Amino acid sequence: MGLGRALFLLSLVLPLDLVPVYPGAIHTHLGDDLSLDGFSFRMAYFTTRDSIRIVANHFFEEWKQQGYLTVVEGDFEGEAVVSAFSTRTALQRAVVLRLQRGKTLGFSVVRQLRSHFSAAPADRMPVLEHSLWTSDLAAGRASARDWQRTTILEEGLLKARDLARQQLERAGCALVRQAKDGEGRRARISLEHRCAKGPVATVLSEQEPGITALLQTHATDPFPAEASQKSRAAQAGK
Amino acid sequence: MTLRFLLWLPLLNASLDAPSRSSPVEAALVQSLEDGIGTAKLGDWVTYEMDGGPNRSAYWRLAVVEEQRDALDRDACWLELEMGTDGNMVAPLFRMRALVARDAGFNGVGITRLIVAYGADSAHELAADAVRQLMTQSGHPPSLPARTSPSTQGPVIRKGEPNRILTAMGTIIATPVEVIDRKVVLKRIWVSEEVPVLHLAKLEIPSIGQSMEVHRYGHDAKAQLPIPARDQPQIRAEPLQRAANPVP
């Protein structure tokens, strides 16, 4: 890997050609430049008739030969993961392999090992109270603004809904719609808020008594109201 | 805690202060560094392969990447030290950069600035007071008592004739220096002017079958570990007794 490429890795966007490629397989890229908890990554999937063991061995040998720290996990029958770490460029390349209807399904991933959360802290909601686990995913070049949050809360459905509503309303968002569907363990609550930067959609579902999953999407208006008004004012002034 | 303990123990336990957990060859490398790097030139670099027994092999790279005067106005150089599992050092596990006074060597007296990076972490500099604190706590280990005459008990040093030895870099002319105790060779060091930085071509500890040997060397080293910006957070040291106090 050349120095130019290594330096490039330090930028926010990872180049496509660093996604691990299995020879002879067609790779389908998933999403654009993604960000998970501030770590940029790219992902693709492929299928091949070669066994998991052969595919895993290909990547293990290739990366080992290149001098990377390489680890393998799995039973090599139903699943395997091969990872290579470049500490100098803070980069991890990995393939996750699974047996799927007699074929090997592989997910190729390249991710940065240093966080590059570019959004200003004010753009991010703090982690909710009683959160057991939280992960923020951003996608696209507007990754600083459009993002998704997945949270597991140690709360029942209604209490989790209240926490989510309170947080958004404290941030100045207005509840536009609330709906509940399903009953018992299938119960889901959907919330739609209107915030200064754009709409926020929240879906809550109780996974088991006292444990609720929250999926929240923060979108950004392509033309914020304020900017549109300024533009119109400028047009009118001409 | 000595400086060596801080630097080496988290990595390969190569400290001379922790002999039970150290690799003797790595400890010997530390000893060689502490003895001084006075003649190393800018751009000199060398990689050693450590054979510390089954599953205990590693590579260490030393490089002189920059020259400047230190805060005490001494002639000094930036020495980079990297440790990894592959000789090409694509993915070192540990990286360090130290500003070392040439005459004093890689020890508590010689080091005034220290930058470290573990794994894929970015580089962090030790705060000046942390370096000072560690420096004052660092001391030289007692030298191995050795006599040049074999007539009395105790280890003796025997210097041989220059010889050709085969290394990963090909044949190198080196002079063996042996530390012998009661006819047993404790340590054999092959010294060569050809090998930059430490002039150390090979080190053997025959009784336990461990060795350290030059893997690659050159004279075109470039700095790999950037010096963090001044506003970056620094690593601070805290006296052990204070840290151990219970929180009221």
Side-chain angles (χ1 to χ4, degrees), chain A residues 1 3 64-69 85-91 113-114, chain B residues 61 82 85-86 88-93 95 119-123 224:
Chain A
M1 181 182 297
L3 180 63
K64 197 78 185 163
Q65 203 170 26
Q66 290 171 354
Y68 295 109
L69 298 165
F85 298 87
S86 169
T87 53
R88 209 181 278 288
T89 54
L91 190 77
L113 296 169
R114 290 180 202 145
Chain B
R61 180 177 180 271
E82 297 177 330
T85 55
D86 183 85
N88 294 323
M89 289 291 174
V90 178
L93 292 169
R95 295 179 288 159
D121 273 359
S122 48
Q224 302 281 345

Side-chain angles (χ1 to χ4, degrees), chain A residues 64-210:
Chain A
K64 197 78 185 163
Q65 203 170 26
Q66 290 171 354
Y68 295 109
L69 298 165
T70 309
V71 293
V72 288
E73 290 175 282
D75 56 16
F76 298 94
E77 299 297 330
E79 61 181 35
V81 180
V82 188
S83 294
F85 298 87
S86 169
T87 53
R88 209 181 278 288
T89 54
L91 190 77
Q92 178 187 2
R93 300 171 83 193
V95 284
V96 181
L97 306 168
R98 283 192 64 85
L99 188 64
Q100 187 80 10
R101 293 178 186 168
K103 281 184 166 183
T104 297
L105 171 65
F107 289 92
S108 300
V109 181
V110 56
R111 69 184 282 257
Q112 286 181 320
L113 296 169
R114 290 180 202 145
S115 177
H116 288 280
F117 236 145
S118 54
D123 286 350
R124 300 272 169 197
M125 294 279 179
V127 172
L128 277 171
E129 282 179 61
H130 305 165
S131 164
L132 294 173
W133 177 82
T134 293
S135 179
D136 290 342
L137 173 69
R141 296 199 179 275
S143 59
R145 294 191 173 261
D146 295 359
W147 55 285
Q148 270 191 352
R149 167 165 290 177
T150 310
T151 297
I152 304 294
L153 290 161
E154 195 174 20
E155 284 294 352
L157 185 64
L158 295 179
K159 178 68 176 165
R161 176 204 61 185
D162 292 345
L163 286 171
R165 279 188 58 172
Q166 284 162 13
Q167 184 183 53
L168 288 167
E169 283 158 23
R170 274 200 301 271
C173 305
L175 181 66
V176 177
R177 194 176 71 88
Q178 175 176 299
K180 183 179 179 190
D181 57 82
E183 286 298 329
R185 290 191 61 186
R186 290 176 174 270
R188 278 195 331 177
I189 294 178
S190 303
L191 305 172
E192 197 178 313
H193 283 81
R194 186 77 207 169
C195 301
K197 293 191 173 96
V200 175
T202 308
V203 178
L204 299 129
S205 66
E206 197 163 24
Q207 303 300 300
E208 57 183 81

